[in-house]
């Protein structure tokens, strides 16, 4: 028979609305932070000469939120946001309650093919910049748990090239500590700028 008895911790909060109000207020502030981050990323795009294809920026940004990414609330900004049935050029910033912010560049299909040679050749810069690469087969996992990611600098060049060519997508990411709240926008824009500079290898970093 299923046990519906409350634990002491559950019993201590179930009769109070205070925690839920605090949680909702915090999530609203994360939403506002993501809006400001989108503004900062768009401002960077206006000042860069990165060779965006027009459709990569056409869809604009999107902020989403939910309650159950592996049992916890989340907020997500996709900007730039280009998703077709086969192709992706997206930079995704995610807040995951109790864990971290993360910034992920997701390339797939023809977009990934377009940048594959550059990614292989710029292995050293990506490794030195502290990026991690997604190593699983399902591209829609977003967290760094369960061996989803590994640091690029732990791979040999041959292993890196194999990983770049293995799937029709690649995801490069960095986590950021929630406690560094006031630095998140600056840190994420810096990561974005670094990735674009590496992809547009003619410009350097």
């Amino acid at each position: 028979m299923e046990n519906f008895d409350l634990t002491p911790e559950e019993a201590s909060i179930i009769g109070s609305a205070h925690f839920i109000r605090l949680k909702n207020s915090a999530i609203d502030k994360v939403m506002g932070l993501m809006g400001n981050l989108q503004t900062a990323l768009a401002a960077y795009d206006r000042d860069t000469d990165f060779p965006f294809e027009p459709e990569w920026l056409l869809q604009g940004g999107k902020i989403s939120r939910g309650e159950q990414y592996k049992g916890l609330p989340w907020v997500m900004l996709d900007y730039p946001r280009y998703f077709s049935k086969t192709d992706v050029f997206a930079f995704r910033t995610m807040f995951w309650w109790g864990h971290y912010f993360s910034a992920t560049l997701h390339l797939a299909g023809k977009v990934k093919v377009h940048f594959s040679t550059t990614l292989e050749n710029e292995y050293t810069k990506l490794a030195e910049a502290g990026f991690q690469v997604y190593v699983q087969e399902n591209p829609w996992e977003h967290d760094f748990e369960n061996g989803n990611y590994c640091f690029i600098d732990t791979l040999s060049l041959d292993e890196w090239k194999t990983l770049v060519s293995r799937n029709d997508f690649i995801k490069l990411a960095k986590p950021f500590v929630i406690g560094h709240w006031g630095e998140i926008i600056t840190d994420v824009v810096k990561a974005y700028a670094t990735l674009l500079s590496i992809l547009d290898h003619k410009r350097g970093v």
Side-chain angles (χ1 to χ4, degrees), residues 6-159:
L6 296 174
T7 67
E9 280 188 309
E10 290 167 343
S12 71
I13 66 169
I14 197 170
S16 170
H18 183 62
F19 173 78
I20 296 299
R21 288 195 176 106
L22 282 177
K23 174 257 183 185
N24 290 340
S25 175
I27 290 294
D28 286 344
K29 290 178 179 179
V30 177
M31 295 283 287
L33 184 148
M34 291 296 194
N36 287 346
L37 174 59
Q38 180 179 332
T39 299
L41 292 169
Y44 179 82
D45 286 345
R46 287 193 297 271
D47 291 337
T48 187
D49 60 354
F50 183 80
F52 291 105
E53 294 295 330
E55 62 266 26
W56 298 352
L57 299 177
L58 190 62
Q59 295 178 4
K62 181 180 180 181
I63 301 174
S64 309
R65 63 188 288 181
E67 295 294 326
Q68 290 291 330
Y69 182 71
K70 302 192 175 178
L72 293 167
W74 56 272
V75 179
M76 190 178 289
L77 165 66
D78 286 328
Y79 178 88
R81 177 177 64 101
Y82 172 63
F83 294 94
S84 74
K85 290 183 178 180
T86 57
D87 305 331
V88 177
F89 183 98
F91 186 72
R92 172 166 285 177
T93 307
M94 182 175 178
F95 165 83
W96 188 25
W97 188 280
H99 288 78
Y100 37 70
F101 284 87
S102 60
T104 305
L105 179 67
H106 183 170
L107 308 175
K110 294 177 183 177
V111 180
K112 184 252 184 177
V113 171
H114 176 77
F115 288 111
S116 287
T117 299
T118 299
L119 288 167
E120 290 181 358
N121 292 340
E122 301 301 322
Y123 157 80
T124 300
K125 290 180 181 176
L126 287 164
E128 290 176 348
F131 286 101
Q132 300 184 45
V133 61
Y134 188 76
V135 297
Q136 306 295 352
E137 300 298 321
N138 173 12
W140 306 114
E141 295 287 345
H142 308 302
D143 59 276
F144 291 78
E145 277 65 35
N146 302 312
N148 284 340
Y149 281 89
C150 73
F151 282 96
I152 295 172
D153 67 4
T154 66
L155 302 171
S156 69
L157 179 57
D158 285 343
E159 289 172 332

